[in-house]
Amino acid sequence: MAHNNGKHGFFEKLATFIVDKRYLFFLLYGFALVFCLFARNWVQVENDVTTYLPGDTETRQGLTAMNDNFKTFATARVMVSNVTLEDAQQISEMLEQVEGVQIVTFDETEDHYRDATALFDLNFTAEDNDPVSIQAMETIMDRLKGYDVVVDTLIGYDEIAALDEEMTTILIVAVIIIIAVLTLTSRAYAEVPVLLITFGMAAVLNMGTNFLCGKISFISNSIAVVLQLALAIDYAIILCHRFSDEHETQDARGACITALAKAIPEISASSLTTISGLAALSFMKFTIGLDMSIVLIKSVLLSMLSVFTLMPGLLVLFSPWIDRTQHKKLLPNITPVGKFAVMMRYVMPGLFAVVLVGAFWLANQCPYCYSYNEVETAKMTDRQVAHFKIRDTFGSYNMVALIVPSGNYQAESEILQDLESRPEVKSTLALSGMEALDGYYLTDALAPRQFSELIGLDYEVAQALYGAYAIENDQYGQFLNGLADYDVPLFDMFLFLKDQLQSHNVTLSGEAQKTMDDLFEQLDTAQEQMQSPTYSRMVVFLNLPEESPQTFAFLDEMRQIIGSHYDANYYVVGNSTSSRDLAASFAGDNLMISILSALFVILVLLFTFQSVALPVLLIVVIQGSIWINFSVPTIMQTPLYFLGYLIVNAIQMGANIDYAIVISSHYQELKNHMPHKEAIVQALNASFPTVFTSGSIMASAGLLIGNLSAQPVIAIMGNCLGRGTIISIILVLGVLPAILVLGDSVIERTSFKLKGIERKVHTSNGTMKVKGHVRGYVSGMVDADFDGVLRGELNASVATEGQVTKEGEDANA
């Protein structure tokens, strides 16, 4: 067989090298496998979605200031049901005695006791993953045995480990489903292990190279491997089917070389729509889109690399078993579906247009949410179950932190007093609200005599202490004018006294020293949480949900209150502010992803089909499936986490469009030599195995993630992706055929030819001399490079550089 096309010659040379050097590639992949198994442990995972907020948002700036200046100690909400108020008070006293517990908040109000159920708010002396907090939590659970108790806390909770366990289960189930699907659609049972090895290697390569991306999000880390299987399984199936076709007339080596030479450009072109859809994510202001875009595009490219360089060798290696395990076609034809589409061609497009308008309106009414704390999933952890039980009994829990410049206790006190007078505020926590000794609060300013009486210190020593404090803080006027009326906040004086005691400049009696040591320990804890040299932190608990117009309006009021005391460098931080910032970026990100994903895909289709109308029709069908998909939350009145919409929107457009492309490509080929009605029926039969394979795997992967993951973001994405894929399959099989047949004249009138790749359709019979790349039917389908004589009927496109001449005619005529 001679090749006159330079590109085909290059691909054939490349394919020959890959197949003949297959053992070298096996060795290289062996090294890569070992490396990646180790390298996957180097991947750093980011659990906080707000990390990906733009740097100019208040939440991002506030969180940075808070994390750099304060420690956030562990908390827990413990709800005990079926107890009397007296029992609840005894439990509260017991909890206060647990080592590692700093504060237990419980009172007789409905905020902590109602309907024979008690709620205890616990603050610990260490962070969530500190052994002190973990041991304290274990002690609490041990002492509460026998009670009806639920606990909402992050103490000892390893989200990464929990996600890994979930995804392992999901992957195992997904592999079982994939094996079943591939068995149904394969031509030989031995093809299945070839496909699994190829994609197993691609998945390991992607996981092992994620460390090159720096820190990746928990979303990308968790779902990439499952989505990789779903997004790129087609590539291996294309090469596998190509190999089977060529192996009918060639030995395994020759068949693999020919198949690979033809599959490389075909698979590369097919991947462009998927990559284009994923690339649109990278333009989001919310940079988690860029994170997912990089990881998923890398997974697609590595899948292609494995198909191009590993799978050919595996096909040659497994070819004896592939030959022996050939089986009959297991999937049925769907001729009735095609005939129904033809029969409904005048009705279906109009009906679809009506549905499209309704779906567009409903999708735009979708009840988005921007915090996933209140999203219930099919599977929930004990912590999530506890959270919703506590919420249903005692209402929402909404905490907001105020970060202000440190040093102005008077301003902090006035801010808290103003906020505490508002009905939207449940309670506050700050240095100014913490009692020190004998009714004095930490930010109260005391003169030397008051201080000496408070802690039992000689008045002369207290005066000397105040004098030393004045000098150290450059307040010489106070020192020279007398210290009797010199007021210093208790918190500052206690810290100064601690330094003087440690330097042995001041000594206290045994009992006084013990009292002060206990107080200093509490002060250290309070300082770590509430004050740094740069900022002070105040905590406000709201009576408002995390997301609502009223909540967002009150956040603005809080900023106005703080702004009346500080000019700049103050922040309001919490889930509510995060939700507000995410909501602000969502509108722009949504519009950008919708436009870019459709634009990128339509450009690819424009050059693929060389038609203006056909790409538009395909985009409309898939965009319609996206709108229908996101109409469901509106109809069900179920909150949809905004990130699930953005990511699934891009993936559904980039991946599901392939189903429409497959059907359209077959139809465009078949209609050249048979009636359009018959062509669409045959196109559906020819396309169904591919659509079924890719679609069922994608839908199964999505629904598995949605129902087996307790992580709300991942579960929502999975459900949306699975549901969207099923809707896309229904539309491309049930609606697209009718649109293609009805709109065929428009498609033809808007077609164009690109220079250098124009093809002329030749219809002839008898004996012909053919030279060039032929695609069409010659007493049967032919797609090959020919240089020879054909006897029979010809109805096929031939590249412009090719020639078709009847025997005896002049080739140049």
Side-chain angles (χ1 to χ4, degrees):
M1 178 175 63
H3 293 275
N4 296 295
N5 188 305
K7 291 184 179 180
H8 282 278
F10 167 76
F11 289 134
E12 185 175 359
K13 291 177 183 178
L14 179 61
T16 302
F17 174 79
I18 292 172
V19 172
D20 288 344
K21 300 297 183 181
R22 57 188 176 277
Y23 292 108
L24 172 62
F25 281 102
F26 289 162
L27 181 63
L28 293 175
Y29 273 100
F31 289 143
L33 176 64
V34 174
F35 172 80
C36 289
L37 288 175
F38 284 101
R40 62 175 299 191
N41 298 317
W42 305 342
V43 179
Q44 300 180 56
V45 180
E46 177 58 66
N47 284 328
D48 186 4
V49 173
T50 59
T51 303
Y52 298 94
L53 279 168
D56 59 353
T57 59
E58 181 181 25
T59 300
R60 182 67 266 144
Q61 294 175 353
L63 286 172
T64 300
M66 191 165 68
N67 294 333
D68 290 345
N69 289 274
F70 306 104
K71 281 187 177 180
T72 300
F73 287 169
T75 61
R77 306 187 81 202
V78 179
M79 188 176 79
V80 182
S81 302
N82 303 311
V83 291
T84 64
L85 180 58
E86 183 180 353
D87 289 338
Q89 291 170 337
Q90 292 176 357
I91 292 173
S92 177
E93 294 172 2
M94 179 270 292
L95 293 176
E96 289 175 347
Q97 303 304 315
V98 175
E99 184 176 356
V101 174
Q102 181 184 17
I103 301 173
V104 177
T105 304
F106 176 77
D107 53 41
E108 298 181 14
T109 66
E110 288 197 348
D111 290 337
H112 291 99
Y113 186 82
R114 64 172 67 178
D115 300 328
T117 301
L119 177 64
F120 306 94
D121 290 316
L122 277 61
N123 293 77
F124 294 77
T125 60
E127 296 174 282
D128 288 329
N129 293 319
D130 192 291
V132 173
S133 300
I134 295 173
Q135 181 59 51
M137 200 69 245
E138 291 176 353
T139 302
I140 289 170
M141 296 306 297
D142 184 62
R143 293 185 182 181
L144 291 176
K145 280 183 178 178
Y147 288 98
D148 184 2
V149 59
V150 294
V151 179
D152 180 12
T153 183
L154 290 174
I155 294 176
Y157 180 67
D158 188 344
E159 187 170 29
I160 298 298
L163 276 175
D164 286 344
E165 184 178 346
E166 286 177 359
M167 297 314 296
T168 299
T169 303
I170 290 170
L171 189 58
I172 291 172
V173 179
V175 168
I176 294 173
I177 292 174
I178 288 171
I179 291 173
V181 172
L182 293 178
T183 301
L184 283 173
T185 57
S186 67
R187 302 178 183 181
Y189 295 119
E191 292 176 354
V192 176
V194 173
L195 298 171
L196 293 178
I197 293 171
T198 302
F199 271 90
M201 179 59 71
V204 173
L205 287 178
N206 194 49
M207 289 187 290
T209 54
N210 278 338
F211 77 94
L212 298 174
C213 304
K215 185 176 285 189
I216 65 173
S217 70
F218 70 93
I219 302 174
S220 300
N221 186 60
S222 300
I223 67 173
V225 61
V226 179
L227 287 184
Q228 182 179 6
L229 286 172
L231 288 171
I233 194 71
D234 282 353
Y235 309 153
I237 294 173
I238 289 172
L239 178 58
C240 196
H241 287 179
R242 284 280 189 185
F243 173 76
S244 297
D245 292 339
E246 300 297 336
H247 196 29
E248 293 179 2
T249 57
Q250 301 182 62
D251 62 11
R253 175 186 172 275
C256 202
I257 291 171
T258 305
L260 182 59
K262 294 178 179 180
I264 289 175
E266 184 178 352
I267 292 172
S268 300
S270 175
S271 70
L272 288 178
T273 54
T274 301
I275 292 174
S276 297
L278 296 173
L281 290 172
S282 63
F283 290 89
M284 289 171 57
K285 290 181 181 179
F286 189 38
T287 55
I288 198 168
L290 177 62
D291 173 88
M292 289 202 67
S293 176
I294 292 172
V295 173
L296 290 177
I297 288 176
K298 179 165 65 70
S299 74
V300 171
L301 294 176
L302 288 172
S303 296
M304 290 171 59
L305 180 67
S306 298
V307 170
F308 292 159
T309 58
L310 174 63
M311 189 173 173
L314 293 174
L315 286 171
V316 175
L317 186 66
F318 278 76
S319 60
W321 292 279
I322 292 175
D323 293 340
R324 288 198 291 268
T325 58
Q326 297 282 340
H327 61 76
K328 294 180 180 179
K329 180 180 178 181
L330 300 178
L331 278 183
N333 287 329
I334 55 170
T335 301
V337 175
K339 290 183 177 180
F340 178 78
V342 171
M343 183 178 66
M344 298 292 290
R345 64 188 181 279
Y346 296 111
V347 177
M348 191 65 72
L351 184 61
F352 176 64
V354 173
V355 172
L356 205 62
V357 172
F360 172 77
W361 185 83
L362 287 170
N364 281 280
Q365 305 302 313
C366 190
Y368 297 110
C369 62
Y370 303 92
S371 171
Y372 53 79
N373 292 330
E374 301 303 317
V375 176
E376 298 188 43
T377 55
K379 176 188 175 184
M380 292 195 291
T381 63
D382 292 341
R383 183 181 68 83
Q384 289 171 301
V385 171
H387 171 81
F388 288 112
K389 282 186 176 181
I390 294 172
R391 184 201 65 180
D392 293 342
T393 305
F394 289 95
S396 299
Y397 175 82
N398 190 3
M399 182 181 73
V400 175
L402 313 182
I403 312 298
V404 299
S406 64
N408 191 341
Y409 295 129
Q410 180 66 28
E412 293 176 26
S413 180
E414 291 176 0
I415 289 171
L416 290 180
Q417 288 177 11
D418 195 345
L419 289 174
E420 287 173 347
S421 67
R422 302 298 180 95
E424 296 89 348
V425 175
K426 182 183 297 184
S427 62
T428 62
L429 179 64
L431 286 178
S432 60
M434 292 184 180
E435 187 175 349
L437 294 169
D438 296 341
Y440 286 106
Y441 290 90
L442 285 176
T443 56
D444 288 345
L446 273 66
R449 183 169 297 281
Q450 293 171 300
F451 186 74
S452 67
E453 293 173 353
L454 178 65
I455 66 170
L457 186 69
D458 289 340
Y459 178 58
E460 291 77 11
V461 176
Q463 280 189 311
L465 185 67
Y466 269 63
Y469 178 89
I471 293 172
E472 182 168 305
N473 289 276
D474 298 327
Q475 297 175 352
Y476 299 105
Q478 293 286 356
F479 181 76
L480 295 174
N481 294 328
L483 299 169
D485 297 324
Y486 181 30
D487 293 332
V488 177
L490 267 179
F491 185 75
D492 294 345
M493 186 51 67
F494 279 142
L495 294 180
F496 184 71
L497 175 60
K498 178 184 176 184
D499 292 338
Q500 298 304 307
L501 288 170
Q502 291 175 344
S503 302
H504 303 291
N505 295 327
V506 178
T507 58
L508 296 175
S509 63
E511 187 62 31
Q513 182 69 50
K514 184 177 183 304
T515 300
M516 293 310 298
D517 285 343
D518 292 340
L519 181 60
F520 290 151
E521 184 177 348
Q522 296 177 26
L523 290 179
D524 288 341
T525 301
Q527 186 177 30
E528 288 178 322
Q529 297 182 82
M530 298 294 181
Q531 189 184 66
S532 76
T534 308
Y535 290 105
S536 291
R537 175 166 65 173
M538 298 175 280
V539 179
V540 180
F541 298 92
L542 302 180
N543 287 315
L544 297 168
E546 288 186 356
E547 297 179 38
S548 72
Q550 294 80 9
T551 304
F552 295 158
F554 188 66
L555 291 178
D556 292 333
E557 289 186 39
M558 293 176 71
R559 287 186 54 79
Q560 291 175 5
I561 293 171
I562 301 170
S564 65
H565 297 276
Y566 298 95
D567 294 330
N569 297 325
Y570 60 86
Y571 308 99
V572 180
V573 183
N575 287 335
S576 291
T577 59
S578 172
S579 297
R580 184 182 61 181
D581 288 341
L582 291 171
S585 68
F586 171 68
D589 284 343
N590 181 22
L591 182 62
M592 182 173 294
I593 285 181
S594 297
I595 292 175
L596 289 181
S597 58
L599 180 62
F600 290 160
V601 171
I602 205 169
L603 286 175
V604 173
L605 298 182
L606 195 64
F607 290 99
T608 300
F609 290 107
Q610 299 178 41
S611 170
V612 175
L614 184 55
V616 173
L617 293 177
L618 301 189
I619 292 290
V620 167
V621 171
I622 299 303
Q623 186 61 59
S625 72
I626 293 173
W627 288 335
I628 295 172
N629 185 16
F630 293 108
S631 297
V632 175
T634 304
I635 296 170
M636 302 296 293
Q637 283 301 298
T638 304
L640 174 65
Y641 187 59
F642 80 105
L643 191 57
Y645 176 85
L646 291 176
I647 293 173
V648 172
N649 188 0
I651 293 177
Q652 192 174 344
M653 177 58 74
N656 291 174
I657 194 73
D658 284 347
Y659 312 153
I661 292 173
V662 170
I663 294 173
S664 301
S665 297
H666 280 291
Y667 174 67
Q668 293 296 102
E669 293 173 2
L670 293 170
K671 71 178 185 178
N672 289 326
H673 70 277
M674 63 176 65
H676 292 180
K677 297 177 185 179
E678 184 180 344
I680 197 63
V681 174
Q682 295 302 320
L684 283 179
N685 285 332
S687 306
F688 181 62
T690 302
V691 174
F692 174 81
T693 303
S694 180
S696 60
I697 291 174
M698 177 74 82
S700 299
L703 295 177
L704 280 172
I705 292 171
N707 289 277
L708 296 182
S709 177
Q711 214 298 327
V713 179
I714 294 174
I716 288 170
M717 285 176 52
N719 280 326
C720 290
L721 187 60
R723 183 176 65 231
T725 301
I726 292 172
I727 294 170
S728 296
I729 293 172
I730 293 173
L731 291 186
V732 298
L733 293 179
V735 176
L736 179 61
I739 292 176
L740 289 176
V741 174
L742 189 64
D744 190 75
S745 60
V746 178
I747 294 171
E748 290 297 327
R749 284 198 298 269
T750 58
S751 296
F752 58 89
K753 302 297 181 182
L754 293 176
K755 186 177 180 181
I757 58 174
E758 181 179 358
R759 295 178 179 273
K760 293 182 289 185
V761 176
H762 294 265
T763 302
S764 186
N765 56 57
T767 302
M768 296 151 282
K769 186 175 181 181
V770 178
K771 185 175 182 179
H773 187 82
V774 177
R775 186 176 184 83
Y777 276 78
V778 185
S779 296
M781 180 66 180
V782 173
D783 185 357
D785 290 333
F786 265 88
D787 186 0
V789 176
L790 293 178
R791 291 180 176 85
E793 294 183 0
L794 171 67
N795 187 327
S797 60
V798 183
T800 51
E801 69 272 16
Q803 300 172 351
V804 177
T805 55
K806 293 279 288 185
E807 195 170 56
E809 292 181 354
D810 184 355
N812 296 318

